[in-house]
Every structure is written in structure tokens, then in C-alpha cells.
Amino acid sequence: MGSISTAGEAVARIAYLSSDVIISVQPALAVDSEFSQHLHAYASRKAPGVIAKKIPEIISVRHNADPLLSVFEPIRGGNFVAVTTSSSILLPSIPHLYKLAEYPVVIHVSLEPTNYPDYSEITAIRNSGFTFLQSETLQEVQDMALSAHALAIKSGKGVIHFFDAGKAADDTPISYEDQKLVGEILEPNSAKSFQNSSVAASSLYVPDGRVATVTNGTSTAINGNVNTSTPAVSGEKTGSKSAGTENSSVGSSQRESSADSRPTISSATSTESTDTRPVTSEDIYNYISETWAQIETATGRQYQAFEYTGPAHAEHALFIFGSDTALFAREIDSATASDAFARSGVLTARLYRPWLGQKLVAVVPKSVKRIAVLEQIRRKTTKWGPLLLDLLTSLRTGESIGGAPLIVGHQLGYIEPATVRQALRGIFHNLRSESPIQNLEIGSSERPKRLLEKYELEQPKLENAYMKILDQVFAERLHVANQLGANNAGISATITSSPEFGFGSLIARSEHRKRFIQEVESASRSHDFATEVPRNWLSQWALNAEDPQKSNALASEAIKRLSTDGSKLASFLLSSKSLFFKESPWLIGSDAWAYDLANSGVHHVIASGENVNMLIIDSQPYSEQAAADANRRKKDIGLYAMNFGNAYVASVAVYSSYTQVLQAMMEADKFDGPSVVLAYLPYNREDDSPLTVLQETKKAVDIGYWPLYRWNPFNEEKGLSNFSLDSQRIKRDLEEFLKRDNHLSQLMKRHPQFSANLSESYGTEVRSLQKKRAKDAYSSLLEGLYGAPLTILFASDNGNAETLAKRLGNRGKTRGLKTMVMSMDDYPIEDLSSEENVVLITSTAGQGEFPQNGRALWDTVKGSTDIDLASVHYSVFGLGDSHYWPRKDDKIYYNKPAKDLNARIAVLGAKPLTDIGLGDDQDPDGFQTGYSEWEPKLWQALGVDKIEGLPEEPPPLTNEDIKIQSNYLRGTIVQGLEDTTTGAISASDAQLTKFHGTYMEDDRDLREERKAQGLEPAYSFMIRCKLPAGVATPSQYLQMDAISSSYGNETMKLTTRQTFQFHGVVKGYLKPAMRSINKALMTSLGGCGDVSRNVMCSSLPERSQFHRDVFEISKEVNDRLMPQTTAYHEIWLKDENDKKVQVAGNAVVDHEPLYGPTYLPRKFKVTIAVPPHNDTDVYAHDIGLIAIKGADDRLEGFNVLCGGGMGVTHNNKKTYPRTGSMFGYIAKEQAGLICEKIMVIQRDHGDRKNRKHARLKYTVDDMGVETFKAKVEEQSGVKFEEPRPFHFDSNIDTFGWQKDEGGLNHFTMFIENGRIENTADFPMKTGLREIAKVHKGEFRLTGNQHLILSSVRDADLPQMKELLAKYKLDNIHHSGLRLSSSACVAFPTCGLAMAESERYLPELIGKLEGAIEENGLRQDSIVMRMTGCPNGCARPWLAEVAFVGKAYGAYNMYLGGGYHGQRLNKLYRSSIKEEEILGIMKPLLKRYALERQDGERFGDFAIRIGMIKPTTEGKTFHDDVADEESEEES
């Protein structure tokens, strides 16, 4: 059995065992209290409690956020609630305490400050109706915590248990609680009566009529066996025992809800009723005495309401109400006969309230003549201490007054252990004197600084997302009245940061300015100035005092004139010169530091009608909205404010739309009246990552939980709509408000595309009904068929399991079976027990997890004990990869979902049709090997294996079929775009649109939530432009920026292929976006698909003439390899007036002279590098052209590399990355021809049957380098010469300013991972837009995802530098590691991503930069790349260190790539997570700093020290890896 060493742990364990819900009051959500770390540990391992109906729920609440408000909802719902807190919350919670006293809530209070607490926070609430229990030692803390919960259960009343944790910290550790005793004392069966009840909700601040009552007579409802056989929170054994019989039962009388049929507490706890009365003090005493008797019987430890220790015939005693009882007692016990305090007694109150005077009289020896009362109370509100008054009432009134002892009060201050003896002498000297001094202070009133510890309110860094926008928009005009940290003359930060306080200060500030304006107006008519000049300026200012722009512009001039005037009147006005400026007044509401108690700040602001703006930050995560306390919902504030009718209201979310936040704040500032801006910032802890906040925000906005809107009640006076919806969904409550004034119908008319979404209120019940109806409709179709029924359920992430399931269903139909195929999550689980035959097919996701569309079914099946499948026959087939996890310990993840499902279905009674089938990607035919063995056994089990005349199955549709049937890339794209019933297009069209430069995607952050809401995935499209060499004019840049804002997700991606990429383009915006790209004289045709992609070229800012030479070649090659189909024009650019000539009926005649109707087997990539810069990774492409300079320093020709490529499939050793093979040198005029012929040979000889083997790299290896080279020479008529010498020294960009040979300037900006967006910290997108408006040169996109401001003339240099600095775009002072990093998009839009990449790599680098700094490596370039899957978009296989996504949060780590991009890396560790990554990288960086040779690069170092072996060619990529995969299965 374990031990407990702190009071916080002792209380946490008991509270967890004894409660349904524990409110954990913490300094901040990210800062643990002395209780919370233990509570969360128990909850994380799902330890059961004794009382809880389920696993106890832990609700974390900040100490300043009215924490007891969170008690009402669970306690009224029949949950036993415990609160663990410090004493700091008690006084602000007094309004709640009086109501909660009549509920069985237990509040465990750790008194503050520790080691010298202020007991006035207890005495101040002593009359609230709660029972108060005090403990002093660690053992007492455990026993009183248990006693408090038992008392709450038995009495039905609230109990406050208080203690000084600091004093208990020095005690000897105690044993864990006795679980058997806990069960006996708590009596779980009797607790069920309350748990089965509920109380109708009422106003928080109006009594709800509930009174804890006791029914006299015999009750049988609480009798029975109490089963306490539940594991302890730490895993120790438990026991069981029958509970005794009670002679009374505790209930409540309360108002009942007619909507709630559950019994009230009274009716649930008694079978006969003779007399019901409120619980009395005597009842409380009886209950607690019974509990203490049980503790004594089991442990020998005795407790009483009042406790006396000392001689039985003592004449003097101390009654101590403070934390030093043990100190005084020990000193008295060790006293000698000569000490004044020898043979004295000590009294303490164990049961402080109810105060039972008779019990006190009974324990005080009759011999006691004088009692010194020591009260540790620092906030004195009365002359006499509260405990002194209690004793006077008990001992010196009534019959006892005759022989009552003299009672002398003392104020107990801080006492060091070494001075206790001295303190006792002073106490007893005063006590024994003829005229004792009342309220004598003992000890110091100040606690030593070394003992001071208190959590200060802090504004979470996450809130900077909004605060910085306020700063950016209003700058010096901004005035936040309740700003945290403001100097307010000694008033506590908790008060000054509250919106109520801030509102009061704003009103005062506003009145002051109004008076000042009157004074200025008066002064402008005065002749008391030295000159007439100030009068004119003051007059102008006074006329415009309320206009922010005009008044602030005039203010500086007016102040300047007054400063030079020198008159008394001028000096008087200058004493308030800050009032010349018109401020933007704001209040902040934040649960973290500016809690708005009961939303009173909001109410005062709106009701006042004053011109005050309020920003209310809501941090409640959407994923927890179901469990959210209705009393705390901030989104309802918007409706409240709109109903008021005089306020501007906006609902915003910075992680959804930065632009809308800006717009709302500016509109709020301009609105003449109160403004409320509701700002969503969902997080579980203040230190959550921005990525977590982003994902939660997207869910909330997408589903309509947090709609984005703006409301101006006076807009209609201007002919505008009052309501502007900025997101696509609203919820029912907002809809009802809009309907009232007909705003919803107006909105639908203006935005018909929203009409289907506006009035929908989705929920899981809707989803459930949809499932049931779909299944029933399908079943009715099958009723007329013959044969046995067969239900096939699938769970699939990548489509393989779904394809198998549908094919199996079709085959079943041909065999006469009544088959139904559904995804697992679409199936109504309640029907499973009625099925006859069920087949379950599932793939494996993540780390042995169920695919997304199978998790709900699995969660239900694995946790259910009441599903009876005895009449069901079943079979399971799983798809997995036995080599996906190379370590033996991880082999359990192979086909884990299928294995778990098979086992669980069997446990629930189902009978197997066949053994489980397992498909393995490592088998010769992949999963088909196992499947081909399993399916015949299924047909045999169903008796349909010998069916003759089965129709021949058509072969599955391949990409080659789609291309052939597409009529030169047309397919049915036009029809798909016209279909408004879905945001998607068909699967075959999705393949074809890639050729047009667009991918269909869906937001994976939202998949699960939209699935639960019965919605299709959040489909959108990525558009990728073609931009040869990455060169764009300022005009083109501005047009790209506009496209991203108007049609995309307000961001742009600079890709690793030097082009622009847009995300979040919904289907209806595809055509407008494509037309806008065309208007910019650009195209997206060939941006993706099985054609030649964007042709790259080194950016070369320092050699503009040479760059122009290679740029022209890149354009020539790009144009030469461009597809010629007219489908692009027909689909995207043609309008109704564009009459394209058609012949032969309506059949379009088209022609692809280079590609033919089937185009290429796979994508094809060409790049040009200019030594010494390999910034385009020339070795990684199908064709790499290395530019060779002639004697005139101009382009002469190229060395040609052929057969590079990055795409790989995890654990499939038949796939590998490859660096290009050197073919030789050609003249520059031959470049286009050679590129064409290499592509044509690939067109004719590439593998069109296996797309994983279809890239040029495999064709070159299959044919042999020399054979392929000879074929190119044969077809082109060009003989490759010996390669010319060249040298690369890096493959990264050179940041900062550079001047070229023509005197033009170029600035390379750092754009992390190529993402251009606006954030509160970095308005990058706005800055680049402003630069593009005035830039006269060009922009160059780099292959490393950065941006070059190119060709700036010296005359324009100051302006460019000013703009760069203004928008922080000149910041290139990052670590060498960060500057050398690169990442692909991955989550949330890439459908292939297995893990985060772009959103995670900056975070990972941040965690490594500490080690970088420590080891002096800040300036060292180390090439680090990350991708979300092994397709290699960020070219990770050439990085010195790379992380390639394997599963969510898990990555394969590769080391040993060449710094110049010339050598592939190799697998070092597989499937490692962040902790392991940091554990490897930090020591390795230190070793690199200490052991590297001069000029040695990180990748070379890893090879030299033997950490990894070099990869000599693509075919050896999988050889000699450091983390060799095991061939065994566990």
C-alpha cells in the first residue's frame, strides 16, 4: 500500500472516491493546484470512485472565474459535487454559499497564505448555513475529508472542510485510505437516492426553495448491501461490507420541474413518512458522531466536536483558532514546573459550525478559571473576535455564568517555532494579570517574505491574438480601462482588471473629457492667452473633439501652440493635455484575468448607452460544448445585446477570419454607443498550442456553434442590412432572433448559396435518425429478394476497405444474397443484434486505430455490456501492414482494429462464419493475398460457394481508363460543377481536375465533427498555378493576393515548385478563381496531374543577367511541354458569349501532339540549377539541368541529370527516392528538345499498370542508365558530351539584401514554410500587398518557399526598407536551423497526410532552438525538412535531417542527407514521437558542436561518427538502415 505525504493528495483521493463531479479550482488552467495534479492523474487512468455512477468527472476552473458557479448545474442534476480550492475564493462566493448550503456539496479549503493563513475568510462565512470541519494534521486531513463527504450524503447539506496545508507538510507520511472503511462510511446505496433526483433550475441569485430535511420514522430505501469492490485510485485492493440500518433519512423539499419525471430526494429516500422537518444542528452532530465512531472502531482514532488536551484539573487553557495548535501543544507538554504555562490545557474546534455550546461546556474541565482565545484573523471587522464571541455565548450565559471562566481574547500573528515559548509567556502573563488586556497581539502581523507565494493573474499569451490586433488598429488611440498590470493605487489586480471596475473608470474618464471640452471651448473665447494663436487652434479642435481622426490630428498642433504661449490658461490646459486626444475606449472580458461576474460588466455597458467597446473572449472549446455549463455561455451574450436594441454586436474568431476581426473592431470603434465584440479563442489550458486553438475554432465555426456575424441596429437607417453573416452557418437561437425581424429571409435572398445552411440546427439525434431511415429504406428494397441477408459494414480511411466492401456486396447479390453495404458509423448500432449475417471490413489507421468512419461503432461495441449478439453470425476482414511498425513492441498494431473487433464481437455472443481474415500490404499482392483466401470461405459458410453462371466482373477503373475516357481531360467536370447538392465532384473528375491544376480536398480538422452532425466533409479545392521559374510581376502578385482573399481561405502558399497555391476554394468559386488567374496572364493547366509540372529555376538574385538567360530557357521548356487540350478553356474560361467551333455534331475535335490521349504514366518535373546554388534541388527531379557559364559569363549550356524523384511508400522497399543520373553536357539551344525526348520516352516506356512504379526513376533503373541515355540520343539526334565541371556549396536561400551586377537590389524574405497569411503577431499578407502596390521590379519565388523582392532601384530602396520594417518582413534574424527548414502542407487539407507538417515543424524547431543556442549553433545552417506523408513534396529525402509522417504525431526520422542536395538520407528511427525526437536531436546537436571537423556539415557528421550509413544510390535507400525492421510478428 502506498503512502501520502501532502494534504492536497489526501484530500484529492478522498474527494475523487466520494464524488460524481470534482470542481478543481486552480490558479490557471495550465497551473496546477495542490489538488489538481492528483485528481487529473486519477481521471487519466479512469480510476473508478466509490460514489460516482461513472468515472468521476474533473472540471477545472480558474480561481478568479466565480468557480462555485460551476457547482449548480451538476449538483442540481443529482451529482455529488466536491470542490477543491484555496480560501481566496470564499468571500467573492458568498452569494452562492447561502444557496449551496442546502445541497450535499463538499468544499475542501486549503487556507492561505500557507503556514500563516488568515482564518477571517472562514469566520466571515460562518453563518452561510454550511457545516464546517477543521483538520490540523495530515492524518486528520484524510479523516475529516472522508467525514465531510459522509456528512454531506447523510445530511443533504453543504460541508466546508478547512485546513492549513503548510502545517501538515511536515507530518510523517500516512497510508492510503482504507477502501473498505470508505465504502462503509459513505454508504453508496443510500447515496443513490440523491443521484436519482434532480432539482429544477432557478435564478442563481434567487432562493430555489430547497431545504435539506429529515424524515422521522423508519426508512427501508437506504438499507441493503453496499458493494465497495472498486479499485482504489492508486490500484490497491478493496473490500465490501453490509451497511447498517439508519433510523432516519435525509431528503429535501424543492420545487419540481413538470418536465422531469424522476423522483425528488424525499420520495426516493423514504418508504413511510410520519414527520418531515429541516435538518437541525443536533442531526448534524449525530451524523458526524456516527461517522467518527466508525473511524474509531476501524482505526482507534478519536474525534469530537470540541477537543481538549491537557491535565484534567487545569486552571488555564488556550482555545486556538489558527494553524499553530501543534506548536503550542508541544511547548506546553514540555514545560517545566516553573513555566507560567505549565499544566495548561489546549482547546480546539473540530466542528466549527454548527457551534454546539453544550458540547464545548462538556469538554472544558470545571477547574478552568481562565481561557486565552487565540484567533489568527487578520481582517478585523468587529472589535471582538468571532471566536471570542462564540465562547462568551457558550460559557458565560445562562446557567453556566456563575462559575464560568474568564475569557481573554488575543490576536495571533505569525510565530516562528523558535519563539513559541516566548509567545506563551506573553499570553499567560496577560492571562494571569488582574486586568488582562483584550485583543492583545501575539507574534508578528506580517508574514516573512520567504513564505509569500501567491499566483498573480496573467493574461494568457494566446490572447495576444486579439490584443495585438487592437494595438495594430488603434495604436496610441487605444485605451483598455481594465488593462492587467495598470497602476491603481494599491487596489488588487483582481478588482482593477474586472470589467465592472474598468467601466466605472471609463465613465469617469469620459466625464472628465466632456468637462475638458467645455473648458477648451471657453478658453477659445478667452483673452487670457499671451497671443491669439492658441484660440484659433483650440476653436478648430473643439469643433472636431469627437471625431477621432480630426481631433487627434489637431491635438498635436494645439498642444504645440499652448506650449509656446506661456500663459496660466495655457498651462492649465496643458495639465490635461492627454484629453486632447480622442481615445478608443475598450473593456476586456476574459475568464483568465478579467472575469465578468454574472456578466454584470456587459449589462452595465449596454444599459448605460455609453460609447464603450467591450471585447469578450470566450475560451470554451467547442469539443466540450456538450458538457459546458449553461450558466457560463458567452455566445448567448450576443443575443442579449442584440435584443437590447442599442448596441453594436459582432461575433468573431481570429483563427477563422483575421479580416473579419479587423472589420468588427473598426466598426465597433465607429459606432456611437455600446459595442460588444464576442471573440472566440477556444483552449483547454492557457499553454495550448495555436494549432489546437485553430482546430477547435474551425470546428465551432464550420458547424455553426460559433457563427461569425456583425450586427448594427442603425444600419437600416442608411439603407443597409442590420445583420451581416460572415460564416456559412448559424444555430437555432440566433435564427429565431433574426426571424423575429425578418432578417433571416432577407439574408437568404441576398445570399441564396447560404439558404440551405442558415436554418439548420444539427445534432447527434439528427444523425441517428438519418442512419435509421437510410438503413430501413435499404432494407425495404431487399425484402422482395430471395436468399439470406448479408450486412457488410466497413471502416475505411483511404478507400481500400470501402472498395472491398462494395465489391463483396455486389458479388453477394450475384449469388442471390440480400446484401446491404454501409460504413460502420452510418449503421444504427441498435439494429446489430437483429442481424443474421454480418461482415465487418476495416483498415488500420494511425497507431493501430480505427478509421474515422468506424470509431463510433467501435466505441459503442467495446464499452457495451448489454448488446446480445447470440443470434448473429459474423466474419471480420482487416487490412494492415505487418512492417509498418518496425520495432517488436509495436507489432501489436498490425491489423489491431480488425483483431479487436473480432474478439469483442465474439465476447458479445456472435458466432463466427469464418476465421478472421488479415490482408497484409507486404504480401506479394498486398492485401489481396489474404483476401483471396478469406472470401471463398465466407461464401462456403453462407452456402453460396457453388453458384454457376456468375457474371464476369468488370476490371476496376484505373487512372489510365479515366484518362482515355475523358476526351482529353473533359470528363463530366462541367456537370459536376453545376451540381449544387454537394460540395464535391465525382471521383473520376477529381482525378481529371488535377490536370487542370486543382485538387479536391476536405478539411480534415472538421471531418469527425461534420460526420457526427450528419454533414458531408467540408470539401474545397486547392488551386496551383504555373509560374515558370517563379517570376511574377507586382500586378500578378496583387491579383494572386486578391484571389486568395476573395475565393480562398485568405492565405497563399508558396510551393517548393516556385509557384502560388490557394486553399479553401469552394466549388462555386472555382470558375471565378480560374478566370482571375487567367486575367493575370497565368494559368493552372498542368499545375498537377500526369503531365510536366511547373519548370523551376534558381532565383539567383546577385546575377540578374545570368538569371534572365536561364529564366528564358525555363519558359521555353515550360511552354514546349505544356498540354494543348482546349478543355481548360471550355470548362473554366468560356462564358455564354464565347462560341467555340465544334464539328461532327457536338463532338469536340482535340489533339495532344506531345502527350496523346493518355498523357504520361505519372507526374513529370523539370528544374534548372545555377552553380554554386542548388536552391532548386536539381538532383530530385525527373530532369535536372545544371547551368554552365561560358567565357562571357552568360549561359552556354547544361549538364543533364535524369531520373530523380522523391515519392516513396512507407515500408514498401520496391519504392525508393532517387537522385538524378548524369547524362552529360548539351548546348543551351538543345535543352528544350532533350527535355521533350526524355519525356516522350517516359510516356512510351513508363509503367502504366502500377502507379507506384510509374515515375521516370523506375523507368531509368529498369532500362538501365546507359540504355535510356542512348535512346534519348537516338530520338533527339543529340550526342551528350562529357559533363562540364561545376560546384555546389548549398541548397538554401541567401537571405537579406544583395546587389546584382547591374546595380539593382534584391531582398530575400523568410516566409516560413511558404505560408503567406495575416496573424495578430505578423500581418505578413497585408505587408506584402502594400509593397506590391508600389514595387517597380518583380517578385521571385524560391524553391525553398521564400520570396525575393527583386530588381529594386537605389532610389526606391528607402521606401522598400521602410515598408519591410513596418510589417516585420525584414526580420531574417532566425536560427540557421529555422532558415534552412521546409515543410509541405499536410493537415488539414492534404488527403494523403498521415501527420502534421507545416503547422508542426515551426513548433518542433522552437523546442530545439534552446539546444541550438546552448551549443553555439545559432548561425549554423542545418537542412531540416518535414512532410506529412512519404510522397516527398518538400523533398525530405535530400535533407540532412528529415521527419516523414507515419501516423498522427509519429514520424520516421532520416539522417545523412547531403547539405548540397547531392546525397539521399537514410532511415534512422521509425515511428517516433516528439519526446523521442527531442531526446535524439538535443544530444546529437551538442555532439555536433563539440566533435565536428572544420567546415563539416551535419549530414556528413552523422555519417562520419557512424550514426547512419551513406545512401549511394536510390536502390540502396532501404539497405543498412539504423532502425532495421523485424520480420517477426508479435
Side-chain angles (χ1 to χ4, degrees), residues 360-420:
L360 174 61
V361 170
V363 300
V364 177
K366 301 298 182 184
S367 57
V368 172
K369 293 182 172 56
R370 297 193 176 198
I371 298 176
V373 179
L374 308 183
E375 299 183 73
Q376 195 166 303
I377 293 172
R378 298 209 298 280
R379 290 191 188 125
K380 286 191 62 178
T381 56
T382 59
K383 180 178 180 181
W384 307 106
L387 196 74
L388 177 68
L389 296 176
D390 285 335
L391 263 71
L392 287 171
T393 302
S394 301
L395 301 179
R396 298 191 62 82
T397 57
E399 298 177 0
S400 63
I401 194 169
L406 175 67
I407 301 172
V408 181
H410 296 75
Q411 297 299 313
L412 182 59
Y414 178 76
I415 298 177
E416 291 279 0
T419 63
V420 173

Side-chain angles (χ1 to χ4, degrees), residues 175 202 310 1162 1284 1307:
S175 299
S202 64
R1162 282 299 300 273
R1284 301 289 173 87
F1307 183 80

Side-chain angles (χ1 to χ4, degrees), residues 302-342:
Q302 296 181 348
Y303 298 107
Q304 299 179 59
F306 296 96
E307 295 179 356
Y308 171 83
T309 58
H313 303 290
E315 294 185 359
H316 303 90
L318 301 181
F319 197 121
I320 304 174
F321 194 58
S323 61
D324 291 324
T325 305
L327 283 176
F328 285 114
R330 283 195 296 268
E331 198 63 41
I332 291 173
D333 289 344
S334 63
T336 63
S338 62
D339 288 321
F341 49 84

Side-chain angles (χ1 to χ4, degrees), residues 925-947:
D925 294 324
F927 62 80
Q928 293 287 356
T929 302
Y931 182 81
S932 62
E933 298 174 0
W934 171 82
E935 184 184 321
K937 297 176 182 176
L938 176 66
W939 300 139
Q940 185 176 10
L942 292 169
V944 291
D945 55 318
K946 294 185 168 57
I947 305 297

Side-chain angles (χ1 to χ4, degrees), residues 392-617:
L392 287 171
T393 302
S394 301
L395 301 179
R396 298 191 62 82
T397 57
E399 298 177 0
S400 63
I401 194 169
L406 175 67
I407 301 172
V408 181
H410 296 75
Q411 297 299 313
L412 182 59
Y414 178 76
I415 298 177
E416 291 279 0
T419 63
V420 173
R421 190 174 188 82
Q422 180 183 342
L424 281 170
R425 286 172 183 162
I427 294 168
F428 277 84
H429 177 76
N430 183 54
L431 184 64
R432 291 185 168 191
S433 66
E434 290 186 9
S435 300
I437 301 172
Q438 291 288 355
N439 290 328
L440 181 68
E441 290 191 14
I442 305 297
S444 172
S445 60
E446 296 296 326
R447 190 169 63 141
K449 291 184 178 180
R450 61 185 171 80
L451 297 177
L452 290 174
E453 89 282 314
K454 187 172 181 180
Y455 177 81
E456 297 294 333
L457 288 175
E458 289 183 2
Q459 178 182 302
K461 290 181 180 179
L462 288 169
E463 288 188 9
N464 286 339
Y466 288 107
M467 302 306 291
K468 288 186 177 180
I469 295 177
L470 282 175
D471 285 333
Q472 290 167 9
V473 174
F474 303 113
E476 67 276 358
R477 286 188 55 224
L478 177 66
H479 175 69
V480 178
N482 62 327
Q483 182 69 57
L484 192 63
N487 186 10
N488 284 286
I491 307 173
S492 76
T494 303
I495 295 173
T496 61
S497 63
S498 68
E500 301 99 311
F501 181 92
F503 178 64
S505 71
L506 277 181
I507 295 300
R509 197 176 182 91
S510 175
E511 292 297 327
H512 190 183
R513 190 169 191 270
K514 288 177 182 177
R515 290 195 302 271
F516 181 73
I517 294 172
Q518 293 174 355
E519 291 167 353
V520 171
E521 289 175 343
S522 176
S524 69
R525 296 188 295 271
S526 170
H527 296 283
D528 294 339
F529 292 110
T531 68
E532 292 296 306
V533 174
R535 293 179 57 195
N536 296 327
W537 284 99
L538 292 177
S539 178
Q540 290 183 56
W541 180 87
L543 289 172
N544 296 285
E546 296 300 332
D547 186 309
Q549 279 70 39
K550 292 181 180 179
S551 67
N552 291 354
L554 291 167
S556 299
E557 295 297 327
I559 292 171
K560 186 185 300 181
R561 269 57 178 191
L562 289 171
S563 299
T564 59
D565 185 79
S567 65
K568 288 185 178 180
L569 181 55
S571 298
F572 171 74
L573 293 176
L574 286 173
S575 67
S576 301
K577 64 181 180 181
S578 64
L579 297 177
F580 275 108
F581 296 93
K582 173 69 173 174
E583 296 173 332
S584 181
W586 286 83
L587 296 172
I588 310 296
S590 164
D591 286 353
W593 59 274
Y595 187 75
D596 190 13
L597 184 65
N599 296 323
S600 58
V602 176
H603 173 77
H604 287 315
V605 168
I606 298 173
S608 72
E610 293 288 337
N611 189 8
V612 173
N613 308 309
M614 194 165 187
L615 178 72
I616 302 172
I617 298 174

